[in-house]
Amino acid sequence: MSVIKDAANLNTRMREVVPLVHNITNYVTVNDCANALLAIGASPIMADDIREASDITAISSALVINIGTLNQRTVESMIASGRTANQLGIPVVFDPVGAGASAFRNETVERILQEVKISILRGNLSEVSYVAGLSAAAKGVDVSEEDAANDPVDAACQAARRLGCTVGVTGAVDIVTDGNRVAKIHNGHPLMAKVTGTGCMTSAITAGYAGMQEDMWTAATAGILSMGLAGEIAYGRVAHMGTGSFRTGIIDGLSSLNETLMEEMAKVEEM
Amino acid sequence: MSVIKDAANLNTRMREVVPLVHNITNYVTVNDCANALLAIGASPIMADDIREASDITAISSALVINIGTLNQRTVESMIASGRTANQLGIPVVFDPVGAGASAFRNETVERILQEVKISILRGNLSEVSYVAGLSAAAKGVDVSEEDAANDPVDAACQAARRLGCTVGVTGAVDIVTDGNRVAKIHNGHPLMAKVTGTGCMTSAITAGYAGMQEDMWTAATAGILSMGLAGEIAYGRVAHMGTGSFRTGIIDGLSSLNETLMEEMAKVEEM
Amino acid sequence: MSVIKDAANLNTRMREVVPLVHNITNYVTVNDCANALLAIGASPIMADDIREASDITAISSALVINIGTLNQRTVESMIASGRTANQLGIPVVFDPVGAGASAFRNETVERILQEVKISILRGNLSEVSYVAGLSAAAKGVDVSEEDAANDPVDAACQAARRLGCTVGVTGAVDIVTDGNRVAKIHNGHPLMAKVTGTGCMTSAITAGYAGMQEDMWTAATAGILSMGLAGEIAYGRVAHMGTGSFRTGIIDGLSSLNETLMEEMAKVEEM
C-alpha cells in the first residue's frame, strides 16, 4: 500500500481514535496548534509547568516539543516530559524553531537531543541543517540564504541517520525520511509562509498521526501532507482575500480533509 | 420576569456599562477571551504578575481565574487577586480547566477553593465533578466517559451546595444552578467542541455579566446562553466552511447578539 | 515629497527588504502581531528569555517592547534588548500598554525610559500622557475620561519633547510628531477598538517601517497609517459580519495594502 493510502486511512482513524496530544510549545502560535489538532480530529492539551508536565505526557498519545519562545522555565519541562515519553513509548515530535539563531537555542537543542530520544524532527531546511550539524547561519525563524543552497533530500537523509529518527523538512517541496524511505511531497503553497505557525501546526498534527501507530515515517508524511493539502484548499477558497482569511482557511482546510480528498489531491513521490 | 428577559436586558446594559474584566488565564485561548469580551461589550484586561495582579483586580468589575496553562508563578497571582476581589466584593469566576488531569492542577484547585470565595464555577461535567469531589477520572481537558454517566443537574446542584456558589456545567445541555434555582439551556451546537477556548470564552463573558449586578445565577445563565447563541449564529452562517471560519463566526455571533435576538433564540427551562 | 508618498514607498520596500522585527510583547495579541508583520511584508521573531533576548535583538532590524502582560522575568529581557538595540543603532518602538494602571507598570515604564533610548513611543492618549508625566488616571488599557479631555496634539508634542523621541498617539485622529513635524492621520475606524491588539499590531508594523531607514517620524506615520487603512479596508469588506471577521479583515487589509492604495486612501495633514 502506498504512503498516500496509509496517510489517508490514518486521517479517517484520527476522528475515531481522537489521540490526546501534549504540546509544550510557544505562546505565539499555540492557539493555532490547538485548533489545528481539533480540526484534524485530535485532542490538544497544553501544559508546561515542571510540576505537571510529565503527568500530562503520561496520559497523552504523543508529545510535541516546540522551542519557538524558549525560556528557562519550560526547558526543564521539555526534558522531563521527553524522558517520560521515552519511558512509556510515547512518540516525541521535536520542532526546533529558530535553531541556530541564538546560543541559548543551540544549547537547548543539544541538551534535548542528549536527554530525549526524538521520534520525528520537523523543521525548515535551516533548522534541520543546524540540528543535524550541517548548517551555516540562520536568520531568525526563516531559512537563511546559505542553507537554501543545501539539497533538502541530502540534508534530511543525513539528519535522519545522524539522529536516528524520522526527519521532515518542510519547504517548496517537503521531504520526509527515516534514513531509508524518502517521501517528496509536492503539495502546499508558498503563501503559507505568510501565516505564522504553519510550521508549528504541521508539527502538532504530525504528533496526532504519530500517536495512533508505530510508523513514524508514515506519521510525518501524513502530518506534512495534511498541512499542505489544507494550504491548497485554503488557497483555492480565500487567498484572494488576504493572509488573515488564508490563515482561517487553513484551519477550515484541515477540518475539511478526509480520506478521499487526501488520495485525490496528494502528490507524493516515494523514493 | 424570566431569566431570559433578565439576561437579554443585561446584554444591552453591557454595552452601556462596559465592565472591566480582569483575566488571569491561559496563553492558549487568551486572545479569544479578550475578543469575546470586546464582542459582548465588556473591556478585557490581562495581568498575571504578582506585583500587579491585585492592583488590576481592584480597578476591575470582575475577575476570571482560569487554570488552563497553570504555572507556579501565576498560582500566587490567582490567590492574591482572588482575595482582593473577595475583600472588595468583586465577583470571581473560576474555570478549573483540566481539573483532575494532574496532581498539580488538583492541589491548585484545592488551594484556590480554600483561599478564595468563588462566585461562579464554570466547567464541563468532568471538571465540575472533580472540583466538587464527585469525580472519577479525567482525560485531558475533555469530559471523561466515566463522568459522562453522571447526571449534570445532580452534579451541578451538589457542587453548588458543597461550594456555596453558582455552578455552570456546559455540555450538550448547559446547567446553571445556585443550589436553588436551576436553568437548563438548550442552545449551542456540538461543533463548538471543535474550537479551542469556547469554554474559556464562556467563563470570560460570564464574568462580564457578573460584573454588572448582584445575581450570579442570572449572570452565569446570561454568559452561557450568550455563548450558545453565538455558536448557533456561527453555525448557521459559516459552519460549512470549516472550524476556522466557525471560530471567527462565534466572535461575530457574540458581537451580533442583542436583546431582541436573545429573547427570540433562547431555549431556557427554569426549574 | 509628502509623508504619504514616503510612507507608500516604504510599503513597497518592506516586501523587498523583509526586515526582521524582534518583539518582546504580551501573550494576548502576540499572534496578531506576528501575522500583521508578515502581512505587511516584514519577518517577526518573538524571544523573551534573558539568555537570548539580546542575541535576537542583535540580528534584528528593529525591536518592539510591549508591556501588555508585563512580568518580572521579561522586564529584564526588555532592558537588555533595549540596551543592545541602542548600542547597535537598532530602533526601539515602545508600546506602554496600560501605563498608569498599576504601580508595577509605572515603575517598569520609568525604568525602561531611564535605561533605554526609545525611538518611537506608540500608545493611546492615556498611555502617552502617563508616560510623559501629563496624565491623570487610567482605566485598564483604554483611554480614561479625564485624559480624553487632553488635546492629543499638545500631549504628543509635549511627550516628544520631554522624551526626545517620535510619539504616535492613536485615537479618533492619530497624531505623530517628533516635536517638530506633526502628522494628523484621519484614517482608521472606531470599530478597531472592538478588536484586541490593534494598538499592539500598530506598534509592531511601525517597527517594521523603522527597521528600514533613519526617519522615525516617517516610520511611525507609515505604521499608524497602514493600520488605519487596513481597518478601513476591513470595515468596507466584512464589518457587517461582526468583530471576528473584522479582525481577520484587518490582517487581510494589511496584506492587501500597496503603494497605490496607500496614496489613494491616505488622509494625512502635515503641520
Side-chain angles (χ1 to χ4, degrees):
Chain A
M1 217 165 48
S2 74
V3 70
I4 292 175
K5 204 153 184 60
D6 287 339
N9 282 347
L10 284 175
N11 185 267
T12 294
R13 234 183 113 202
M14 185 94 77
R15 296 178 204 278
E16 295 156 11
V17 175
V18 193
L20 184 64
V21 178
H22 179 199
N23 299 266
I24 305 183
T25 189
N26 67 79
Y27 59 83
V28 183
T29 66
V30 60
N31 181 276
D32 294 320
C33 290
N35 278 319
L37 280 163
L38 287 165
I40 200 87
S43 177
I45 188 163
M46 278 65 181
D48 67 17
D49 194 276
I50 189 69
R51 288 194 56 196
E52 72 169 354
S54 286
D55 292 353
I56 299 296
T57 301
I59 57 167
S60 299
S61 299
L63 169 68
V64 181
I65 299 177
N66 174 311
I67 64 169
T69 51
L70 199 53
N71 72 67
Q72 296 172 66
R73 182 177 71 79
T74 52
V75 169
E76 302 311 318
S77 306
M78 290 171 180
I79 302 286
S81 279
R83 284 178 165 173
T84 297
N86 287 170
Q87 284 160 12
L88 300 176
I90 295 165
V92 179
V93 176
F94 181 35
D95 189 333
V97 184
S102 80
F104 178 44
R105 269 169 214 244
N106 300 350
E107 289 158 23
T108 302
V109 166
E110 200 173 335
R111 218 185 128 199
I112 289 171
L113 292 179
Q114 274 170 358
E115 305 200 28
V116 180
K117 175 85 191 78
I118 301 302
S119 312
I120 299 172
L121 172 70
R122 208 289 317 158
N124 64 32
L125 183 52
S126 272
E127 291 158 352
V128 168
S129 299
Y130 180 82
V131 172
L134 316 164
S135 178
K139 183 211 175 191
V141 292
D142 296 320
V143 176
S144 70
E145 281 174 39
E146 291 88 337
D147 293 327
N150 292 352
D151 176 68
V153 176
D154 260 17
C157 289
Q158 282 194 54
R161 284 179 209 128
R162 286 199 191 182
L163 303 171
C165 69
T166 289
V167 171
V169 177
T170 48
V173 176
D174 307 314
I175 309 298
V176 183
T177 182
D178 57 3
N180 295 309
R181 294 168 291 177
V182 177
K184 289 178 81 163
I185 306 173
H186 299 269
N187 292 99
H189 192 279
L191 193 65
M192 296 169 78
K194 292 294 177 193
V195 174
T196 193
T198 48
C200 303
M201 286 186 258
T202 304
S203 296
I205 63 174
T206 292
Y209 285 106
M212 291 188 295
Q213 45 80 54
E214 299 293 313
D215 183 354
M216 294 299 112
W217 178 73
T218 300
T221 304
I224 293 171
L225 174 60
S226 297
M227 197 65 195
L229 297 180
E232 288 184 19
I233 293 170
Y235 189 83
R237 287 181 181 176
V238 292
H240 62 282
M241 294 293 291
T243 55
S245 293
F246 185 57
R247 173 196 178 217
T248 301
I250 289 171
I251 303 287
D252 283 345
L254 287 173
S255 73
S256 304
L257 267 190
N258 59 46
E259 199 160 344
T260 314
L261 211 51
M262 281 182 77
E263 292 195 50
E264 278 172 16
M265 294 177 68
K267 296 178 198 154
V268 182
E269 285 177 80
E270 291 183 58
M271 297 164 70
Chain B
M1 219 165 48
S2 74
V3 70
I4 293 175
K5 204 153 185 59
D6 287 341
N9 281 347
L10 284 175
N11 185 267
T12 294
R13 235 183 113 202
M14 186 93 76
R15 296 179 203 277
E16 296 156 10
V17 175
V18 193
L20 184 64
V21 177
H22 179 199
N23 299 265
I24 303 182
T25 189
N26 67 78
Y27 59 82
V28 184
T29 66
V30 59
N31 182 275
D32 295 319
C33 290
N35 277 320
L37 281 164
L38 287 166
I40 200 88
S43 178
I45 188 163
M46 279 64 182
D48 66 17
D49 194 276
I50 189 69
R51 288 195 55 196
E52 72 169 355
S54 286
D55 291 353
I56 299 297
T57 302
I59 59 167
S60 299
S61 299
L63 169 68
V64 180
I65 297 176
N66 174 311
I67 64 168
T69 51
L70 198 54
N71 72 68
Q72 297 172 64
R73 182 178 71 78
T74 53
V75 168
E76 302 311 318
S77 306
M78 291 172 178
I79 302 287
S81 278
R83 284 178 166 173
T84 298
N86 287 169
Q87 284 159 12
L88 300 176
I90 295 164
V92 179
V93 176
F94 180 35
D95 189 334
V97 184
S102 80
F104 179 44
R105 269 170 214 245
N106 300 349
E107 289 157 24
T108 303
V109 166
E110 199 173 336
R111 217 184 129 202
I112 289 172
L113 293 179
Q114 274 169 359
E115 305 201 29
V116 180
K117 175 86 191 76
I118 300 303
S119 312
I120 298 172
L121 172 70
R122 209 287 320 156
N124 65 32
L125 183 53
S126 272
E127 290 159 351
V128 169
S129 298
Y130 180 83
V131 172
L134 315 164
S135 178
K139 182 211 175 194
V141 292
D142 295 321
V143 176
S144 69
E145 282 175 39
E146 292 87 339
D147 292 329
N150 292 352
D151 177 67
V153 177
D154 259 18
C157 288
Q158 281 193 56
R161 282 178 212 128
R162 286 199 192 181
L163 303 171
C165 70
T166 289
V167 171
V169 177
T170 47
V173 175
D174 307 313
I175 309 299
V176 183
T177 182
D178 57 4
N180 295 308
R181 294 170 291 178
V182 177
K184 290 178 82 161
I185 305 173
H186 299 268
N187 291 99
H189 192 279
L191 193 64
M192 296 170 79
K194 292 294 175 192
V195 174
T196 192
T198 49
C200 303
M201 286 186 259
T202 304
S203 297
I205 64 174
T206 292
Y209 284 107
M212 292 188 296
Q213 45 80 54
E214 301 293 312
D215 184 354
M216 295 297 112
W217 178 73
T218 299
T221 304
I224 293 170
L225 174 60
S226 297
M227 197 65 195
L229 298 180
E232 290 184 19
I233 293 170
Y235 189 82
R237 288 181 180 178
V238 292
H240 62 283
M241 294 292 290
T243 54
S245 293
F246 185 57
R247 174 197 178 216
T248 301
I250 289 171
I251 302 287
D252 283 345
L254 287 173
S255 74
S256 304
L257 267 190
N258 58 45
E259 198 160 345
T260 314
L261 211 51
M262 282 183 76
E263 293 195 50
E264 278 172 16
M265 293 178 68
K267 296 179 198 154
V268 182
E269 285 178 81
E270 291 183 58
M271 296 164 69
Chain C
M1 220 164 49
S2 75
V3 70
I4 292 175
K5 205 152 184 59
D6 288 340
N9 282 347
L10 284 175
N11 184 268
T12 294
R13 235 183 111 203
M14 186 93 76
R15 297 178 204 276
E16 296 155 11
V17 175
V18 194
L20 184 64
V21 178
H22 179 197
N23 299 266
I24 304 182
T25 190
N26 67 77
Y27 59 81
V28 184
T29 66
V30 59
N31 181 276
D32 295 319
C33 290
N35 277 320
L37 281 163
L38 286 166
I40 200 87
S43 178
I45 188 162
M46 279 64 182
D48 67 16
D49 193 276
I50 188 69
R51 288 194 57 196
E52 71 168 355
S54 286
D55 291 352
I56 299 297
T57 302
I59 58 167
S60 300
S61 298
L63 169 68
V64 181
I65 298 176
N66 174 311
I67 64 168
T69 50
L70 199 53
N71 72 68
Q72 296 173 66
R73 182 177 71 80
T74 53
V75 169
E76 301 311 318
S77 305
M78 291 172 179
I79 302 286
S81 278
R83 285 178 165 173
T84 297
N86 287 171
Q87 284 159 13
L88 300 175
I90 295 164
V92 179
V93 176
F94 180 36
D95 189 333
V97 184
S102 79
F104 179 44
R105 269 169 214 246
N106 300 349
E107 289 157 23
T108 302
V109 166
E110 200 172 335
R111 219 186 127 199
I112 289 171
L113 293 178
Q114 274 169 359
E115 305 200 29
V116 180
K117 175 84 192 77
I118 300 302
S119 312
I120 299 171
L121 172 71
R122 209 288 318 157
N124 65 32
L125 184 52
S126 273
E127 290 159 351
V128 168
S129 298
Y130 180 82
V131 172
L134 314 164
S135 179
K139 182 213 174 191
V141 292
D142 295 321
V143 176
S144 69
E145 281 175 39
E146 291 87 338
D147 293 328
N150 291 354
D151 177 66
V153 176
D154 260 18
C157 289
Q158 282 193 58
R161 284 179 210 128
R162 286 198 193 183
L163 304 171
C165 69
T166 289
V167 171
V169 177
T170 49
V173 176
D174 307 313
I175 309 298
V176 184
T177 182
D178 57 4
N180 295 308
R181 294 169 290 177
V182 177
K184 290 178 80 162
I185 305 172
H186 299 269
N187 291 99
H189 193 279
L191 193 65
M192 296 169 79
K194 292 295 176 192
V195 175
T196 194
T198 48
C200 303
M201 286 186 257
T202 304
S203 297
I205 62 174
T206 292
Y209 285 106
M212 292 188 294
Q213 44 81 54
E214 301 293 311
D215 184 353
M216 294 298 112
W217 178 73
T218 300
T221 304
I224 294 170
L225 173 60
S226 297
M227 196 66 195
L229 297 180
E232 289 184 18
I233 293 169
Y235 189 84
R237 288 181 180 177
V238 292
H240 62 282
M241 294 292 291
T243 55
S245 293
F246 185 56
R247 174 196 178 218
T248 301
I250 290 172
I251 302 287
D252 283 345
L254 287 173
S255 74
S256 304
L257 267 190
N258 58 46
E259 200 161 343
T260 314
L261 210 52
M262 281 183 77
E263 292 195 49
E264 279 173 16
M265 294 178 67
K267 296 179 198 153
V268 182
E269 284 176 82
E270 293 183 56
M271 298 164 66

